[in-house]
Amino acid sequence: MTEPTESKTDVLIIGAGPSGLMAAAWMAHMGVKARIVDKRNTKIFSGQADGLQCRSLEIFDSLGFGDRAWKEAHHMIEICMWNPGQDGVIRRSDRIPDTIVGLSRFQQIVLHQGRIERFFLDNIKKYSGDTIHVERGVLPESLEIDADKVDDDEAYPVTVKLRTLSAEEATPQQQITGSKVADGLFRSNLINEDDEADLIKKSAARAGATEIVHAKYVIGCDGARSWTRRALGFELVGEATDFIWGVMDIIPFTDFPDIRMRCAIHSAKNGSLMVIPRENKMVRLYIQLKEVTPDASGRADRSKITPDIIFSAAQKILAPYKIDYEYCDWWTAYQIGQRVGTSFDAHNRVFLAGDAVHTHSPKAGQGMNVSMQDCYNLGWKVGLVAQGIAKRSILSSYQSERRQIAQDLIDFDHKFSRLFSGRPAKDVMDAEGVSMEEFKDAFLKGNMFASGLSVNYGPSTIVAKPGDAAEQEDFEKKQALATGLPVGMRFNSFKVLNQADARPWHFQERLKADGRFRVVLFAGDILKPEQKARVDKFCELLDAPASFLHRATPEGQAIDGVIEVLTIHSSKRVDTELLRDFPAILHPLDPHRGWDYDKVFVDDVSYHEGYGDAYKNYGVDRERGCVVVVRPDQYVAWVGELDDFEHLERYFAGCLVLRA
Ligand code: FAD
């Protein structure tokens, strides 16, 4: 046996599912020294999660691959509800839009997890210059935290022992026996060409080799049975439900008219079915298995479930319509468990994310989304702290922000699963049955939650909200300056024009995931002398050598390297000039590359893409404007007047390391 090698890394990510890949993407975009390991020897090729919320698409867009997902996916436009009539025969009883209209520039889509992982892998490769890639077939064997060193910014207090597996050990087992069709982790016949490279098994030359890694931070993204969670001694608390569900991805032959719509079907006696149309003519069926019940211990024996059992249940629910298939891409069966982790971090040095800290039913399409969003919340914080740009104290906000989301998700899932799995009420007197009105209402309300856009983070060092009632009145005054940009929620998007070249942009497109905070200066009507004087004063303070902007920027870095200042003004574009009317700090001069023409925008009418009416939509006064701070993950962090400079400075002094 050879001696283990030793190495150091700033961030070690365990698990390369959607949440681990999101964490790795941040490290790649921010230039943080990081590694990501996974015990499997390939990525996912079929099945598992498929629904992508609007918020996930906004996030993908900030990383640079929203367009790939948008083009390839199936778009979900309408939901049809099917319920039994008085005669017990199912009928279409309602149609609602799948995504609440006007909520986001994206709508919900479906694309299987393997493609999402592909996009991440390509993106990480591109942005890290191929320095971060998934090290497959690698298993952690021990994890220790040196508690004496956790407060030392320079220390590597987490030690993880890694072992490289043999090809056999790294190949996942079929989860359910009794079927020739892959149940999740194997190759799909519909695999895309750019996935072929992943099929080549990695060399087993290093099999058995061990390595001791010293890390500043570790992120455990290793799924529902998380090894990292167990190594920390943390638990998932909650319960398993009695509802057993089967899932099949098939290409159907059917006379059911809404097979290309998302459908929620309640039969009179045979249970419920969810239809999710997919890419490549596929359809996913989520089927309640009424004939499979848990044993005395509360667990169902999944090994007894076969595709035939699942499919015949689907046929009964859909009757009198007929359904059949020749090709099944993937199938699985599960018992819904609704659990949340007791803790999301240890010493703010080891973090847990994704399925490792919350499990729930997959029907509401939340699992992959919420898991990725955990790491979209965490990744930049860890990255900035590891780089010495942000204070370590910001890391506590991960648990306070995301544990609440996980709990909300479980509550939502609890309600949704009960309504979906319950028997339809025969009439208003049938108290045990589920009223279809109640179901529709829950679906409509759930749509807001399911979009991922209802997230509203509480007060912390990075969200300037009142901690107590005494601060409430002052906060409300500030919030009134931008009523469409609630502090704690994601920065909504409306179209504005680039001042220099008149090109329309969705403003959110300018909020790239690169780890930078943004100060958005709503400059108001800068052609009014009084307002111009306020803007000039704000910029003078901003550009003073002792300002937070200069002190947050490491020596030698460009002035927009840590905090980028973006401007939206409300004067007419053609009456204003970038260089004449806007102080230089709003479009900084690079000695080698000239003025920055991509930082000043105007709320005006475009030639080809209409009018975004941004000031009105953001609820900002067109004359006086205001200032808004946006976190690197696009959440609104602070709102104030142009004259509140000291307050603004205090915000940054609270979370960033400002040079003396
Ligand atoms: P995962 O995707 O589970 O990724 C964890 C990663 O960690 C894996 O790559 C794994 O190989 C790796 N790993 C695990 N242990 C270790 C270890 N000790 N060392 C190193 N690496 C390790 N969601 C839906 O919305 N709809 C569905 O139909 C659906 N079906 C599913 C079916 C199955 C069989 C599974 C497992 C999940 C399903 N999900 C579904 C859930 C969805 O896939 C997850 O919510 C989502 O993938 C969570 O992402 P994650 O990155 O947190 O975890």
Side-chain angles (χ1 to χ4, degrees):
M1 194 64 146
T2 49
E3 280 293 301
T5 52
E6 287 206 38
S7 63
K8 278 185 178 173
T9 188
D10 285 354
V11 182
L12 174 67
I13 301 159
I14 300 173
S19 57
L21 291 170
M22 178 66 81
W26 269 121
M27 303 311 145
H29 283 248
M30 295 173 70
V32 177
K33 191 175 171 198
R35 289 175 63 182
I36 174 166
V37 299
D38 196 297
K39 68 177 182 182
R40 279 191 328 225
N41 59 4
T42 60
K43 68 178 204 54
I44 296 252
F45 292 111
S46 58
Q48 297 205 194
D50 58 356
L52 285 171
Q53 308 170 339
C54 318
R55 180 64 193 142
S56 295
L57 284 158
E58 292 180 0
I59 290 171
F60 289 177
D61 193 54
S62 76
L63 289 164
F65 59 85
D67 54 337
R68 287 187 78 182
W70 190 244
K71 272 187 206 142
E72 221 175 276
H74 179 76
H75 291 224
M76 303 235 274
I77 307 297
E78 191 173 79
I79 301 175
C80 296
M81 315 250 177
W82 284 71
N83 293 305
Q86 288 299 335
D87 55 0
V89 176
I90 54 166
R91 288 189 179 79
R92 187 193 299 119
S93 55
D94 237 313
R95 297 175 192 263
I96 55 172
D98 186 273
T99 306
I100 298 170
V101 178
L103 205 56
S104 164
R105 62 204 158 104
F106 296 105
Q107 292 92 51
Q108 190 172 192
I109 59 172
V110 269
L111 185 62
H112 80 80
Q113 192 169 326
R115 291 308 290 160
I116 312 298
E117 292 186 11
R118 166 85 278 140
F119 303 155
F120 268 114
L121 293 169
D122 292 347
N123 191 263
I124 292 164
K125 183 174 181 178
K126 176 177 164 190
Y127 281 90
S128 74
D130 209 10
T131 59
I132 303 177
H133 51 265
V134 180
E135 298 168 43
R136 298 205 179 271
V138 176
L139 185 77
E141 288 195 327
S142 65
L143 181 151
E144 278 163 33
I145 308 173
D146 185 343
D148 293 336
K149 292 195 185 145
V150 291
D151 292 326
D152 176 355
D153 284 345
E154 303 305 316
Y156 293 77
V158 195
T159 305
V160 179
K161 185 173 173 194
L162 298 175
R163 180 167 66 88
T164 304
L165 302 173
S166 66
E168 216 172 41
E169 286 175 299
T171 303
Q173 299 293 309
Q174 286 278 86
Q175 305 206 351
I176 303 171
T177 50
S179 160
K180 287 196 187 86
V181 181
D183 72 1
L185 300 169
F186 295 91
R187 183 179 179 174
S188 157
N189 288 346
L190 300 180
I191 195 164
N192 291 57
E193 272 174 27
D194 55 358
D195 276 336
E196 290 288 338
D198 287 303
L199 292 170
I200 301 159
K201 297 272 183 290
K202 300 286 174 292
S203 147
R206 279 182 47 78
T210 50
E211 180 186 358
I212 309 286
V213 180
H214 301 280
K216 285 185 174 168
Y217 299 94
V218 170
I219 308 181
C221 300
D222 44 354
R225 294 189 195 124
S226 172
W227 173 89
T228 318
R229 186 184 67 228
R230 281 178 282 128
L232 294 173
F234 296 164
E235 284 175 14
L236 284 183
V237 289
E239 54 198 39
T241 66
D242 290 344
F243 304 121
I244 319 290
W245 286 79
V247 190
M248 293 182 86
D249 283 344
I250 56 167
I251 297 180
F253 294 88
T254 183
D255 56 358
F256 180 66
D258 284 342
I259 199 70
R260 295 307 298 167
M261 294 289 187
R262 183 173 165 200
C263 295
I265 305 166
H266 281 89
S267 72
K269 291 194 191 114
N270 295 310
S272 311
L273 172 73
M274 175 100 87
V275 177
I276 312 270
R278 303 273 309 266
E279 69 281 9
N280 293 327
K281 287 196 88 172
M282 256 191 312
V283 170
R284 172 167 290 192
L285 303 177
Y286 283 108
I287 305 136
Q288 188 185 355
L289 301 175
K290 296 201 84 153
E291 271 117 59
V292 187
T293 45
D295 61 18
S297 73
R299 294 202 67 80
D301 183 355
R302 293 199 307 159
S303 67
K304 298 227 165 66
I305 302 172
T306 63
D308 288 345
I309 292 180
I310 301 175
F311 197 66
S312 74
Q315 286 173 315
K316 280 188 203 152
I317 296 167
L318 267 185
Y321 297 99
K322 305 253 178 304
I323 184 161
D324 227 319
Y325 71 93
E326 271 183 23
Y327 177 73
C328 172
D329 195 54
W330 177 81
W331 69 279
T332 189
Y334 58 87
Q335 185 172 2
I336 301 172
Q338 290 156 331
R339 300 187 171 92
V340 183
T342 45
S343 185
F344 281 34
D345 78 85
H347 301 284
N348 276 333
R349 287 290 184 170
V350 181
F351 299 88
L352 296 171
D355 277 13
V357 270
H358 41 74
T359 63
H360 48 86
S361 83
K363 282 183 315 303
Q366 297 293 300
M368 177 166 60
N369 294 281
V370 178
S371 297
M372 291 188 298
Q373 287 161 25
D374 283 346
C375 281
Y376 197 66
N377 178 291
L378 175 65
W380 64 271
K381 296 176 184 170
V382 170
L384 285 183
V385 173
Q387 289 173 320
I389 290 170
K391 293 182 174 169
R392 267 185 21 83
S393 54
I394 71 165
L395 297 174
S396 322
S397 65
Y398 171 63
Q399 155 130 329
S400 64
E401 293 181 343
R402 295 310 294 180
R403 195 163 190 283
Q404 185 57 49
I405 302 296
Q407 194 55 57
D408 292 349
L409 174 61
I410 302 304
D411 296 345
F412 167 74
D413 192 54
H414 189 73
K415 188 166 183 202
F416 195 72
S417 293
R418 186 187 66 78
L419 290 174
F420 198 78
S421 304
R423 168 181 65 75
K426 293 193 189 85
D427 51 44
V428 282
M429 301 303 288
D430 180 4
E432 275 178 23
V434 172
S435 134
M436 288 302 113
E437 275 311 305
E438 192 192 348
F439 181 69
K440 183 185 167 191
D441 190 48
F443 225 106
L444 283 169
K445 287 203 188 105
N447 259 1
M448 183 63 198
F449 181 83
S451 69
L453 296 173
S454 59
V455 169
N456 190 345
Y457 293 138
S460 68
T461 48
I462 45 172
V463 177
K465 270 184 175 175
D468 55 43
E471 294 168 353
Q472 184 66 29
E473 199 180 321
D474 190 44
F475 172 74
E476 280 169 17
K477 272 193 212 141
K478 305 284 183 221
Q479 184 64 80
L481 299 170
T483 50
L485 290 168
V487 176
M489 299 188 79
R490 74 86 163 89
F491 199 104
N492 200 357
S493 195
F494 299 101
K495 283 204 170 164
V496 291
L497 312 184
N498 182 308
Q499 172 68 31
D501 62 20
R503 177 175 167 180
W505 287 93
H506 248 293
F507 191 67
Q508 212 182 46
E509 292 178 89
R510 308 308 306 174
L511 308 177
K512 290 285 173 218
D514 49 20
R516 289 187 291 179
F517 277 81
R518 276 155 185 119
V519 170
V520 180
L521 169 63
F522 283 90
D525 187 353
I526 48 118
L527 292 179
K528 295 241 163 74
E530 212 176 288
Q531 181 64 6
K532 175 81 169 77
R534 292 177 79 218
V535 170
D536 286 348
K537 177 76 188 158
F538 179 81
C539 291
E540 193 189 305
L541 294 169
L542 204 57
D543 207 9
S547 80
F548 68 85
L549 180 64
H550 281 272
R551 291 197 296 138
T553 312
E555 212 109 38
Q557 256 200 37
I559 191 64
D560 62 355
V562 173
I563 303 167
E564 182 181 35
V565 183
L566 296 173
T567 303
I568 307 174
H569 73 92
S570 65
S571 308
K572 282 253 141 265
R573 179 178 63 85
V574 292
D575 295 339
T576 45
E577 300 286 351
L578 182 71
L579 302 187
R580 185 194 67 198
D581 297 321
F582 297 88
I585 190 69
L586 302 182
H587 48 92
L589 181 68
D590 180 300
H592 308 292
R593 301 171 60 83
W595 293 111
D596 191 327
Y597 293 101
D598 292 320
K599 292 201 193 315
V600 178
F601 299 86
V602 52
D603 176 22
D604 206 345
V605 182
S606 73
Y607 283 115
H608 306 290
E609 296 180 27
Y611 180 37
D613 214 352
Y615 267 68
K616 183 162 170 232
N617 284 312
Y618 287 130
V620 176
D621 185 278
R622 288 191 74 81
E623 292 207 353
R624 281 183 69 80
C626 69
V627 179
V628 177
V629 174
V630 192
R631 306 186 335 183
D633 57 356
Q634 301 183 332
Y635 282 81
V636 178
W638 182 94
V639 174
E641 295 269 15
L642 272 67
D643 324 291
D644 287 336
F645 197 83
E646 245 176 64
H647 194 187
L648 177 64
E649 189 137 40
R650 267 208 305 282
Y651 171 83
F652 282 109
C655 58
L656 297 186
V657 177
L658 301 185
R659 282 184 291 119

CSV table of all heavy atoms in Angstrom, one decimal, residues 207-242:
chain,number,residue,atom,x,y,z
A,207,ALA,N,-6.7,3.3,-8.8
A,207,ALA,CA,-7.6,2.7,-7.9
A,207,ALA,C,-6.9,2.3,-6.6
A,207,ALA,O,-5.8,1.7,-6.6
A,207,ALA,CB,-8.2,1.4,-8.5
A,208,GLY,N,-7.5,2.6,-5.5
A,208,GLY,CA,-6.9,2.3,-4.2
A,208,GLY,C,-6.1,3.5,-3.6
A,208,GLY,O,-5.8,3.5,-2.4
A,209,ALA,N,-5.6,4.4,-4.5
A,209,ALA,CA,-4.7,5.5,-4.0
A,209,ALA,C,-5.5,6.4,-3.0
A,209,ALA,O,-6.7,6.6,-3.2
A,209,ALA,CB,-4.3,6.3,-5.2
A,210,THR,N,-4.8,6.8,-2.0
A,210,THR,CA,-5.4,7.7,-1.0
A,210,THR,C,-4.7,9.1,-1.0
A,210,THR,O,-3.5,9.2,-1.3
A,210,THR,CB,-5.4,7.1,0.4
A,210,THR,OG1,-4.1,6.7,0.7
A,210,THR,CG2,-6.4,6.0,0.5
A,211,GLU,N,-5.5,10.1,-0.5
A,211,GLU,CA,-4.9,11.4,-0.5
A,211,GLU,C,-5.5,12.2,0.7
A,211,GLU,O,-6.7,12.0,1.0
A,211,GLU,CB,-5.4,12.2,-1.8
A,211,GLU,CG,-4.9,13.6,-1.9
A,211,GLU,CD,-5.4,14.3,-3.1
A,211,GLU,OE1,-6.2,13.7,-3.9
A,211,GLU,OE2,-5.1,15.5,-3.2
A,212,ILE,N,-4.7,12.9,1.4
A,212,ILE,CA,-5.2,13.7,2.5
A,212,ILE,C,-5.3,15.1,2.0
A,212,ILE,O,-4.3,15.7,1.6
A,212,ILE,CB,-4.1,13.7,3.7
A,212,ILE,CG1,-3.7,12.3,4.1
A,212,ILE,CG2,-4.7,14.5,4.9
A,212,ILE,CD1,-4.8,11.5,4.8
A,213,VAL,N,-6.5,15.7,2.0
A,213,VAL,CA,-6.7,17.0,1.5
A,213,VAL,C,-7.0,18.0,2.7
A,213,VAL,O,-7.9,17.7,3.5
A,213,VAL,CB,-7.9,17.1,0.6
A,213,VAL,CG1,-8.2,18.5,0.0
A,213,VAL,CG2,-7.7,16.1,-0.6
A,214,HIS,N,-6.2,19.0,2.8
A,214,HIS,CA,-6.5,20.1,3.8
A,214,HIS,C,-7.2,21.2,3.1
A,214,HIS,O,-6.8,21.8,2.1
A,214,HIS,CB,-5.1,20.6,4.3
A,214,HIS,CG,-4.3,19.5,5.0
A,214,HIS,ND1,-4.5,19.0,6.2
A,214,HIS,CD2,-3.3,18.8,4.5
A,214,HIS,CE1,-3.7,18.1,6.5
A,214,HIS,NE2,-2.9,17.9,5.4
A,215,ALA,N,-8.4,21.5,3.6
A,215,ALA,CA,-9.3,22.5,3.0
A,215,ALA,C,-9.7,23.6,3.9
A,215,ALA,O,-9.8,23.4,5.1
A,215,ALA,CB,-10.5,21.8,2.4
A,216,LYS,N,-9.9,24.8,3.4
A,216,LYS,CA,-10.4,25.9,4.2
A,216,LYS,C,-11.9,25.6,4.4
A,216,LYS,O,-12.4,25.8,5.5
A,216,LYS,CB,-10.2,27.2,3.5
A,216,LYS,CG,-8.8,27.7,3.5
A,216,LYS,CD,-8.7,29.1,2.9
A,216,LYS,CE,-7.3,29.7,3.1
A,216,LYS,NZ,-7.1,30.9,2.3
A,217,TYR,N,-12.6,25.2,3.3
A,217,TYR,CA,-14.0,25.0,3.4
A,217,TYR,C,-14.4,23.7,2.7
A,217,TYR,O,-13.8,23.4,1.6
A,217,TYR,CB,-14.8,26.2,2.8
A,217,TYR,CG,-14.5,27.4,3.5
A,217,TYR,CD1,-13.5,28.3,3.1
A,217,TYR,CD2,-15.2,27.7,4.7
A,217,TYR,CE1,-13.2,29.5,3.8
A,217,TYR,CE2,-14.9,28.9,5.4
A,217,TYR,CZ,-13.9,29.7,5.0
A,217,TYR,OH,-13.6,30.8,5.7
A,218,VAL,N,-15.4,23.0,3.2
A,218,VAL,CA,-15.9,21.8,2.5
A,218,VAL,C,-17.4,22.0,2.3
A,218,VAL,O,-18.1,22.4,3.2
A,218,VAL,CB,-15.6,20.5,3.3
A,218,VAL,CG1,-16.3,19.3,2.8
A,218,VAL,CG2,-14.1,20.2,3.4
A,219,ILE,N,-17.9,21.6,1.1
A,219,ILE,CA,-19.3,21.7,0.9
A,219,ILE,C,-19.8,20.3,0.6
A,219,ILE,O,-19.4,19.7,-0.4
A,219,ILE,CB,-19.7,22.7,-0.3
A,219,ILE,CG1,-19.0,24.0,0.0
A,219,ILE,CG2,-21.2,22.8,-0.4
A,219,ILE,CD1,-19.3,25.1,-1.1
A,220,GLY,N,-20.7,19.7,1.4
A,220,GLY,CA,-21.2,18.4,1.2
A,220,GLY,C,-22.5,18.4,0.4
A,220,GLY,O,-23.5,18.9,0.9
A,221,CYS,N,-22.4,18.0,-0.9
A,221,CYS,CA,-23.5,18.0,-1.8
A,221,CYS,C,-23.8,16.5,-2.2
A,221,CYS,O,-24.0,16.3,-3.4
A,221,CYS,CB,-23.2,18.8,-3.0
A,221,CYS,SG,-22.8,20.5,-2.6
A,222,ASP,N,-23.7,15.6,-1.3
A,222,ASP,CA,-23.7,14.2,-1.6
A,222,ASP,C,-25.0,13.5,-1.5
A,222,ASP,O,-25.0,12.3,-1.1
A,222,ASP,CB,-22.5,13.4,-0.9
A,222,ASP,CG,-22.3,13.8,0.5
A,222,ASP,OD1,-23.1,14.7,1.0
A,222,ASP,OD2,-21.5,13.2,1.2
A,223,GLY,N,-26.1,14.2,-1.7
A,223,GLY,CA,-27.4,13.6,-1.9
A,223,GLY,C,-28.0,13.1,-0.6
A,223,GLY,O,-27.5,13.4,0.5
A,224,ALA,N,-29.2,12.5,-0.7
A,224,ALA,CA,-30.1,12.2,0.4
A,224,ALA,C,-29.4,11.3,1.4
A,224,ALA,O,-29.7,11.4,2.6
A,224,ALA,CB,-31.4,11.6,-0.1
A,225,ARG,N,-28.5,10.4,1.0
A,225,ARG,CA,-27.8,9.6,2.0
A,225,ARG,C,-26.5,10.1,2.4
A,225,ARG,O,-25.5,9.4,2.7
A,225,ARG,CB,-27.7,8.2,1.4
A,225,ARG,CG,-29.0,7.5,1.2
A,225,ARG,CD,-28.8,6.0,0.8
A,225,ARG,NE,-30.1,5.6,0.3
A,225,ARG,CZ,-30.3,5.0,-0.9
A,225,ARG,NH1,-29.2,4.8,-1.6
A,225,ARG,NH2,-31.4,4.6,-1.3
A,226,SER,N,-26.3,11.4,2.3
A,226,SER,CA,-25.1,12.1,2.5
A,226,SER,C,-24.1,11.5,3.5
A,226,SER,O,-24.4,11.4,4.7
A,226,SER,CB,-25.4,13.6,2.9
A,226,SER,OG,-24.2,14.3,3.3
A,227,TRP,N,-22.9,11.2,3.0
A,227,TRP,CA,-21.8,10.8,3.8
A,227,TRP,C,-21.3,11.9,4.7
A,227,TRP,O,-21.1,11.8,5.9
A,227,TRP,CB,-20.7,10.2,3.0
A,227,TRP,CG,-19.4,9.9,3.7
A,227,TRP,CD1,-19.1,8.7,4.3
A,227,TRP,CD2,-18.4,10.8,4.1
A,227,TRP,NE1,-18.0,8.8,5.0
A,227,TRP,CE2,-17.4,10.0,4.9
A,227,TRP,CE3,-18.1,12.1,3.8
A,227,TRP,CZ2,-16.3,10.6,5.3
A,227,TRP,CZ3,-16.9,12.7,4.3
A,227,TRP,CH2,-16.0,11.9,5.0
A,228,THR,N,-21.2,13.1,4.1
A,228,THR,CA,-20.7,14.3,4.8
A,228,THR,C,-21.6,14.5,6.0
A,228,THR,O,-21.2,14.8,7.1
A,228,THR,CB,-20.7,15.5,3.9
A,228,THR,OG1,-20.2,15.1,2.7
A,228,THR,CG2,-19.9,16.6,4.5
A,229,ARG,N,-23.0,14.5,5.8
A,229,ARG,CA,-23.9,14.7,6.9
A,229,ARG,C,-23.7,13.8,8.1
A,229,ARG,O,-23.6,14.1,9.2
A,229,ARG,CB,-25.3,14.6,6.4
A,229,ARG,CG,-26.4,15.0,7.4
A,229,ARG,CD,-27.8,14.7,6.9
A,229,ARG,NE,-28.1,13.3,6.7
A,229,ARG,CZ,-28.6,12.8,5.6
A,229,ARG,NH1,-28.9,13.5,4.6
A,229,ARG,NH2,-28.8,11.5,5.5
A,230,ARG,N,-23.5,12.5,7.7
A,230,ARG,CA,-23.2,11.5,8.7
A,230,ARG,C,-21.9,11.7,9.4
A,230,ARG,O,-21.8,11.5,10.6
A,230,ARG,CB,-23.4,10.1,8.1
A,230,ARG,CG,-24.9,9.7,8.0
A,230,ARG,CD,-25.1,8.3,7.4
A,230,ARG,NE,-24.9,8.4,5.9
A,230,ARG,CZ,-24.1,7.6,5.2
A,230,ARG,NH1,-23.4,6.7,5.8
A,230,ARG,NH2,-24.0,7.7,3.9
A,231,ALA,N,-20.9,12.1,8.6
A,231,ALA,CA,-19.6,12.3,9.2
A,231,ALA,C,-19.6,13.5,10.2
A,231,ALA,O,-18.9,13.5,11.2
A,231,ALA,CB,-18.6,12.7,8.1
A,232,LEU,N,-20.5,14.4,10.0
A,232,LEU,CA,-20.7,15.5,11.0
A,232,LEU,C,-21.6,15.2,12.2
A,232,LEU,O,-21.7,15.9,13.1
A,232,LEU,CB,-21.3,16.7,10.3
A,232,LEU,CG,-20.4,17.4,9.2
A,232,LEU,CD1,-21.3,18.5,8.5
A,232,LEU,CD2,-19.2,18.0,9.8
A,233,GLY,N,-22.3,14.0,12.0
A,233,GLY,CA,-23.2,13.6,13.1
A,233,GLY,C,-24.5,14.3,13.1
A,233,GLY,O,-25.2,14.3,14.0
A,234,PHE,N,-24.8,14.9,11.9
A,234,PHE,CA,-26.1,15.6,11.8
A,234,PHE,C,-27.2,14.6,11.2
A,234,PHE,O,-26.9,13.6,10.6
A,234,PHE,CB,-26.0,16.8,10.8
A,234,PHE,CG,-25.1,17.9,11.3
A,234,PHE,CD1,-24.7,18.9,10.5
A,234,PHE,CD2,-24.7,17.9,12.7
A,234,PHE,CE1,-23.8,19.9,10.9
A,234,PHE,CE2,-23.8,18.9,13.1
A,234,PHE,CZ,-23.4,19.9,12.2
A,235,GLU,N,-28.5,15.0,11.5
A,235,GLU,CA,-29.5,14.1,11.0
A,235,GLU,C,-30.5,14.9,10.1
A,235,GLU,O,-30.6,16.1,10.2
A,235,GLU,CB,-30.3,13.6,12.2
A,235,GLU,CG,-29.6,12.5,13.0
A,235,GLU,CD,-30.3,12.1,14.2
A,235,GLU,OE1,-31.5,12.5,14.4
A,235,GLU,OE2,-29.7,11.4,15.0
A,236,LEU,N,-31.3,14.1,9.4
A,236,LEU,CA,-32.5,14.6,8.7
A,236,LEU,C,-33.7,14.3,9.6
A,236,LEU,O,-33.9,13.1,10.0
A,236,LEU,CB,-32.7,14.0,7.4
A,236,LEU,CG,-31.8,14.3,6.2
A,236,LEU,CD1,-32.3,13.6,5.0
A,236,LEU,CD2,-31.9,15.8,5.9
A,237,VAL,N,-34.5,15.3,10.0
A,237,VAL,CA,-35.7,14.9,10.8
A,237,VAL,C,-36.9,15.2,10.0
A,237,VAL,O,-37.0,16.1,9.2
A,237,VAL,CB,-35.7,15.7,12.1
A,237,VAL,CG1,-34.6,15.2,13.1
A,237,VAL,CG2,-35.5,17.2,11.9
A,238,GLY,N,-37.9,14.3,10.2
A,238,GLY,CA,-39.2,14.4,9.5
A,238,GLY,C,-39.7,13.0,9.4
A,238,GLY,O,-39.3,12.1,10.2
A,239,GLU,N,-40.6,12.8,8.5
A,239,GLU,CA,-41.2,11.4,8.4
A,239,GLU,C,-41.4,11.0,7.0
A,239,GLU,O,-41.5,11.8,6.0
A,239,GLU,CB,-42.5,11.4,9.2
A,239,GLU,CG,-43.4,12.5,8.7
A,239,GLU,CD,-44.5,12.8,9.7
A,239,GLU,OE1,-44.2,12.8,10.9
A,239,GLU,OE2,-45.7,13.0,9.3
A,240,ALA,N,-41.6,9.6,6.9
A,240,ALA,CA,-42.0,9.1,5.6
A,240,ALA,C,-43.5,9.1,5.5
A,240,ALA,O,-44.1,8.9,6.6
A,240,ALA,CB,-41.5,7.6,5.5
A,241,THR,N,-44.1,9.3,4.4
A,241,THR,CA,-45.5,9.2,4.3
A,241,THR,C,-45.9,7.8,3.8
A,241,THR,O,-45.1,7.0,3.4
A,241,THR,CB,-46.0,10.3,3.2
A,241,THR,OG1,-45.5,9.8,1.9
A,241,THR,CG2,-45.5,11.7,3.5
A,242,ASP,N,-47.2,7.6,3.7
A,242,ASP,CA,-47.7,6.3,3.3
A,242,ASP,C,-47.9,6.2,1.7
A,242,ASP,O,-48.2,5.2,1.2
A,242,ASP,CB,-49.1,6.0,3.9
A,242,ASP,CG,-48.9,5.7,5.4
A,242,ASP,OD1,-47.8,5.5,5.8
A,242,ASP,OD2,-50.0,5.8,6.1
